[in-house]
Amino acid sequence: MVATLVKLKWRLTLNALTKNVWAIIGTVFGALYGLGALGLMLAGAVGLGLKADPDVIMLVLGSLGALLVAGWAMVPLLVTGVDSTLDPRAMAAWAAPSRRLALGLLAAGALGIPGCITAAVCLIPVLTWLLAGQLLAALLALLCAPAALATCVLLSRIIVTAAGISSSRRGRETTAIIAFVAFLVFTQLPNLIPRILGDDPTGFLQQLRTLAKVMGLIPFGWAFAAPGLIATGSVLSALVLAIGAWILPMILLPLWQRVVNKAMTSPGSSHTRTRAYAADGAGSDIQHRGLPDVLPWARRLGAALPAPAAAVAARSLRYWRTDPRYLVQFLSVLLLPVVLVLGPALNSSRFVVYVNGQRVENSFALGHAPAALLFMAPALAVFMGWAIHDDLGLDSTALWSHISAGIRGAHDRLGRVVGAAAWQVPALLVVDLLMVAWTGRWEALPAVTGACLALYGCALAWSCLASVLLPYETLAPGDSPMRSRTSGTAFLAALIQMVAILLLLAVCSPVLGMAVYGVVQAAPLWEWVALVAGIVWCSLLLWGGVVFGGRMLDRRGPQVLATIRTWPGHAQPV
C-alpha cells in the first residue's frame, strides 16, 4: 500500500503540472530556486566544517535544525493552503482506516517535493562533521537524519489534518490573516539588528550564542545537536539526545494514526453562518417592498450612482470587509507605510550625513523628519489603485452573475472603483497629512496631494483595463490567502506588476515633475499647479478607465469567464 500511495501522489502531482503550461514554468523556476538555495547551504556547510570549531558548528546546526522542524510545525498552522494531495478525508470512500494506510500517507508526504528537499537538508550535517574531522559526529548525524525527517513530516501532517477536522473555515481564514501580519512583522526584524547591536555588539553576540544553545536543546533540535555534543566530548548527553530524537517520532506516530482514523470516520460538518436581513421599510418602492435588504449600501449609494453600479460597489465593500483575500490586500496596503518607515525610524540615531563637509544628524522627531518621507503617500497611492487589477479573477465564476444579469461593463468598472475608493481615499489622505506633519513641510501639501491623486487615478484606470485584458490566476474563494498559486503564474503576475508601475510613472510624469520641482525649489506656484493638474489627471484617467474598460468587458466578458474556469479550484459554480 505504501508504494501505491507514493505512486498515486506523484501521478496526481504530474497530472496537475501537465494541464497548465504556467504550472510547468513555475515548477521549473521553483526547482532552480530550490537547487540554488541548496547549493548555498552546501557551500555554507563546507565553509563551516573547514573553518569553524566544533562548539560553533554545534550551535549553528542545532539552532538551524530546530528552526527547520519548527517551520514544518508552524507553516501548516498558519498557512491553510498547504499540499493536501492525499488527504485522509479524500481516501475515506476507497479504504478503511488502518495502520498501513496511515504509514502509506506518511510516506507519500515524506516523498513529496518538500520532503525530498528536507531529506537533503537533514543530511547536510553529515558533510559538515566529516569535513570537520569528526567521524563519530558524522555517523551520529547520519543516524539521526531519518528521525529528524520523520519528526518534520509527522508534525506537518498531524497539524494539517487535525486543523481540517476542528477548525471552521472562518477560523482558518482568520488564522491565515494573522499569519500574514506576523510575516510582515517578521520581515522587519532585520531592521532591529542595528538598533540592538548599538556601539558594542559583544553583549548581543553572547546572548545570540545562548539562544542558539537553548534552541539546540529543545526537542525540535535534538537530532541536530546530538552530533555536536559527541564532537565536544559530551558522549552521554549526545546519546540521550539521539535516543530522544528517535523517541519523538515514535510518540507522534500513534497520534497520527488517531488523527487519520478520526478524519476518515467523522461526518462532515458545516460551519456556515446564517444572517437575518431586515426587510425594506416604507421608503422602498412598492415593487421591492418586503424584500430583504441584503446590500444596504446599494440603497445608500443609489442616490449618487446608477443602480447597477451601486450594487456592484456595495458588494465590493462587503468583500473588502469579509473576504480574506481582500483583507490581506487591505492589511498589506495599510501596513506599507509602516514597513517602509519602521526601519529608518528605529535606526534614526544612526543616520548621519555630511553637508559641505560638516556632520549633520537627521532627526525623526515630529516636524523634523527628512523630506524623503513625502514620497510615502504617492507610493501608497500606486499600491492602493493597483489593488483591484485582478478583481475579476477574485470574483471567480461568480462573474457569470454580472454577465447573465446584463450589467453594463462601465457600471461594473465604476462600482468596483467606488467600492475600493470608499476606504482607500480616506486612508490615503490620512497618510498624506501624517507624512507632511512628520516632516514639517506643510507648504508641500498641495504638491504631494496632486501627485497622489494623479498616481491613484492612473492606477485605478490601469486596474480597470488590466483586469479585463490580462487576468491571471488568483486564489479561489475559500482558499487561504497565504496559499501559493499552483499554475505557476506568480512569475507572470510579478512581470505584469513591474511593467504596470513603470507605465504609471511614465503617464504621470508631467504631474510628478511639477510636484518635485515645486517641493525642491520651494516654488508655491508650481505646487498649486501640481495639485490642479493632479485633479485633472485623476478625473480624465478614471473616466477613460471606466469607459474603455467597460467597453472591453462588454466584449470580453464571456472570454474572461472561460479563462477563470480553467484555473485550479475555480471550475465549480459559485
Side-chain angles (χ1 to χ4, degrees), residues 338-356:
V338 178
V339 171
L340 295 178
V341 174
L342 185 61
L346 290 175
N347 301 305
S348 58
S349 61
R350 304 178 65 86
F351 277 76
V352 179
V353 296
Y354 290 88
V355 178
N356 296 328

Side-chain angles (χ1 to χ4, degrees), residues 127-323:
L127 175 63
T128 303
W129 288 117
L130 283 175
L131 294 174
Q134 302 289 337
L135 296 180
L136 288 178
L139 179 61
L140 188 59
L142 182 62
L143 294 176
C144 292
L149 177 62
T151 302
C152 290
V153 178
L154 278 167
L155 282 173
S156 174
R157 301 311 302 166
I158 289 173
I159 291 174
V160 168
T161 308
I165 297 173
S166 60
S167 300
S168 65
R169 170 180 166 179
R170 179 62 61 188
R172 295 195 299 269
E173 292 170 346
T174 303
T175 303
I177 294 173
I178 295 174
F180 178 78
V181 177
F183 173 76
L184 288 180
V185 174
F186 180 77
T187 58
Q188 294 306 301
L189 291 181
N191 293 323
L192 295 173
I193 294 178
R195 187 77 174 184
I196 295 174
L197 287 177
D199 298 327
D200 183 17
T202 305
F204 172 76
L205 294 178
Q206 184 60 37
Q207 294 177 1
L208 194 61
R209 289 176 61 92
T210 303
L211 178 62
K213 186 175 182 180
V214 172
M215 291 178 62
L217 294 179
I218 63 175
F220 287 172
W222 284 350
F224 300 92
L229 289 175
I230 202 172
T232 56
S234 302
V235 179
L236 182 60
S237 299
L239 293 178
V240 170
L241 290 188
I243 295 173
W246 275 102
I247 291 177
L248 188 59
M250 294 175 63
I251 295 175
L252 293 174
L253 184 58
L255 180 60
W256 164 243
Q257 295 176 8
R258 291 183 58 185
V259 170
V260 171
N261 292 340
K262 185 176 181 181
M264 297 181 67
T265 56
S266 298
S269 58
S270 174
H271 298 278
T272 57
R273 297 184 303 174
T274 59
R275 177 181 295 180
Y277 296 99
D280 291 337
S284 303
D285 56 86
I286 298 176
Q287 181 180 0
H288 297 89
R289 183 174 298 172
L291 296 178
D293 192 8
V294 178
L295 293 174
W297 274 101
R299 174 169 43 84
R300 297 164 188 167
L301 294 173
L305 298 174
V312 174
R315 187 176 63 83
S316 297
L317 283 172
R318 172 165 293 176
Y319 282 0
W320 281 110
R321 295 196 314 269
T322 60
D323 193 319

Side-chain angles (χ1 to χ4, degrees), residues 102-113:
L103 292 176
L105 294 175
L106 184 64
L111 294 177
I113 296 177

